[in-house]
């Protein structure tokens, strides 16, 4: 029989929402305060916490697993103590992030950045032909669970989609094949819209850089809902106006007041809100209950991204 597992929640509201789980004892641990006196096995980090909110587990040597409420985890690995595993919230943010990706694509393709500026001025602008989305060629860079959710929502818009991942592999029910990133340079110029869902890593840093952006035809739309550093900001500024950009993530982030990207032509920016919808909380609660039920049963953790 599995032993009792002690889990810390970032605040009492998360503990209340998750409710009792057989085999689990719960405590509250706000990372800005001292760790609890109890030995904690599983530490649930606050949503959108900075690495410091994970580094605190070093103060509680009993912690064996850190559970994130975000899908991104790359910036947490350097502060994770040796021997501690890390699980992310895979699946929780897929639908919301896919919604935002489609919102950014449609807003740019149909000119809603121009419409918003005109509305603020009380101006009824003249009509002209916009790119739209139907019949466009879309390249999806980063074909994981979020990428797949985006493609599912793209298909009804009558587009053709090319999926690119770190390595080539067989396709699925949505795409005929998944191309390797080594094909990106050849594939990108053949597309009208490029959507990046890439995580942050040395391999993805500035993958959308000067060389690739220079190869794109005029008017190509580049969308980033993954990690800001995948796009070289300075290169994007050089091509703004010739290319269009719709970005939920930036480098640096938050984007400072007065940064030239704010006013660059053809650029739409949202403040990293991909997962911030009312769907988040109930989906995260469901994921936490699945995780804690598995751990209490002595099973391996779900959504494990790093094994300590």
């Amino acid at each position: 029989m599995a032993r009792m597992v002690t889990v810390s929640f970032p605040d009492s509201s998360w503990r209340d929402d998750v409710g009792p789980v057989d085999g689990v004892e719960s405590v509250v641990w706000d990372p800005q305060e001292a760790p609890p006196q109890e030995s904690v096995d599983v530490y649930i980090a606050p949503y959108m916490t900075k690495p410091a909110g994970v580094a605190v587990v070093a103060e509680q040597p009993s912690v064996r697993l850190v559970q994130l409420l975000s899908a991104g985890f790359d910036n947490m690995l350097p502060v994770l103590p040796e021997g501690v595993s890390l699980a992310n919230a895979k699946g929780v943010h897929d639908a919301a992030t896919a919604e935002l990706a489609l919102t950014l694509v449609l807003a740019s393709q149909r000119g809603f950045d121009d419409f918003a500026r005109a509305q603020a001025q009380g101006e009824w602008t003249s009509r002209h032909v916009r790119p739209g989305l139907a019949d466009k060629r879309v390249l999806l860079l980063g074909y994981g669970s979020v990428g797949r959710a985006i493609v599912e929502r793209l298909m009804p818009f009558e587009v053709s989609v090319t999926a690119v991942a770190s390595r080539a592999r067989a396709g699925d029910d949505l795409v005929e094949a998944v191309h390797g990133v080594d094909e990106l340079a050849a594939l990108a110029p053949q597309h009208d819209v490029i959507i990046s869902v890439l995580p942050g890593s040395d391999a993805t840093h500035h993958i959308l850089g000067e060389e690739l952006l220079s190869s794109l035809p005029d008017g190509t739309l580049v969308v980033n809902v993954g990690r800001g550093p995948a796009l070289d900001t300075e290169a994007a500024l050089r091509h703004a106006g010739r290319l269009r950009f719709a970005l939920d993530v930036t480098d640096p982030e938050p984007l400072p007041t007065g940064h030239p990207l704010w006013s660059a032509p053809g650029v739409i920016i949202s403040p990293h809100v991909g997962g911030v919808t009312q769907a988040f909380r109930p989906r995260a609660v469901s994921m936490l209950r699945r995780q804690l039920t598995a751990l209490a049963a002595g099973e391996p953790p779900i959504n494990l991204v790093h094994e300590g």
Side-chain angles (χ1 to χ4, degrees):
M1 182 176 179
R3 69 177 181 85
M4 188 73 73
V5 177
T6 301
V7 177
S8 71
F9 289 86
D11 60 57
S12 58
S13 71
W14 279 103
R15 179 168 65 175
D16 293 344
D17 284 358
V18 171
V21 177
D22 288 342
V24 171
E25 289 183 346
S26 62
V27 297
V28 171
W29 183 359
D30 179 340
Q32 295 184 344
E33 299 177 359
Q37 294 183 344
E38 297 90 342
S39 293
V40 172
D41 303 298
V42 180
Y43 170 81
I44 301 172
Y47 180 50
M48 294 293 282
T49 187
K50 305 237 181 269
V54 167
V56 296
V57 299
E59 302 172 24
Q60 185 70 288
S62 60
V63 173
R64 289 290 170 261
L65 175 70
V66 171
Q67 172 67 62
L68 301 178
L69 295 174
S70 58
F73 61 89
D74 44 279
N75 58 335
M76 301 302 173
L77 294 175
V79 302
L80 200 66
E82 187 176 352
V84 178
S85 297
L86 184 68
N88 73 342
K90 179 182 178 182
V92 168
H93 302 285
D94 292 5
T97 304
E99 285 175 2
L100 187 71
L102 264 290
T103 299
L104 290 171
V105 170
L106 290 168
S108 186
Q109 294 293 90
R110 296 304 299 264
F112 270 78
D113 48 338
D114 292 338
F115 300 154
R117 282 188 288 269
Q119 182 176 347
Q121 300 299 320
E123 180 185 356
W124 186 277
T125 58
S126 59
R127 288 181 290 178
H128 63 274
V129 176
R130 303 279 180 172
L133 189 50
D135 302 332
K136 292 293 183 281
R137 302 160 298 175
V138 181
L139 186 147
L140 194 289
L141 183 54
Y143 194 59
S145 63
V146 175
R148 182 180 161 83
I150 293 172
V151 174
E152 285 178 327
R153 288 156 177 79
L154 276 170
M155 289 307 190
F157 287 91
E158 302 174 30
V159 299
S160 64
V161 176
T162 303
V164 175
S166 56
R167 290 177 299 277
R169 61 179 188 262
D172 53 24
D173 58 316
L174 293 176
V175 296
E176 291 184 5
V178 179
H179 299 265
V181 73
D182 56 323
E183 301 176 68
L184 179 62
L187 290 171
Q190 304 172 30
H191 292 79
D192 306 293
V193 178
I194 296 174
I195 304 174
S196 173
V197 205
L198 291 172
S201 71
D202 291 342
T204 64
H205 184 78
H206 287 187
I207 194 168
L208 299 172
E210 179 62 40
E211 186 175 354
L212 187 133
L213 296 181
S214 295
S215 74
L216 300 179
D218 292 357
T220 301
L221 171 63
V222 178
V223 180
N224 192 2
V225 292
R227 281 288 182 262
L231 175 67
D232 180 343
T233 301
E234 294 304 315
L237 285 169
R238 287 192 291 272
H239 289 273
R242 187 184 76 80
L243 305 177
R244 293 171 297 124
F245 297 88
L247 312 172
D248 185 49
V249 290
T250 60
D251 182 23
E253 187 177 304
L255 196 64
T257 301
H259 193 284
L261 198 59
W262 283 118
S263 55
V267 176
I268 297 176
I269 298 171
S270 57
H272 201 157
V273 293
V276 190
T277 74
Q278 291 178 345
F280 162 59
R281 188 85 175 198
R283 290 179 181 224
V285 165
S286 176
M287 180 274 295
L288 289 175
R289 287 192 62 85
R290 291 197 309 274
Q291 180 72 287
L292 300 184
T293 299
L295 295 174
E299 298 171 3
I302 63 173
N303 298 342
L304 195 66
V305 293
H306 171 80
E307 189 163 1

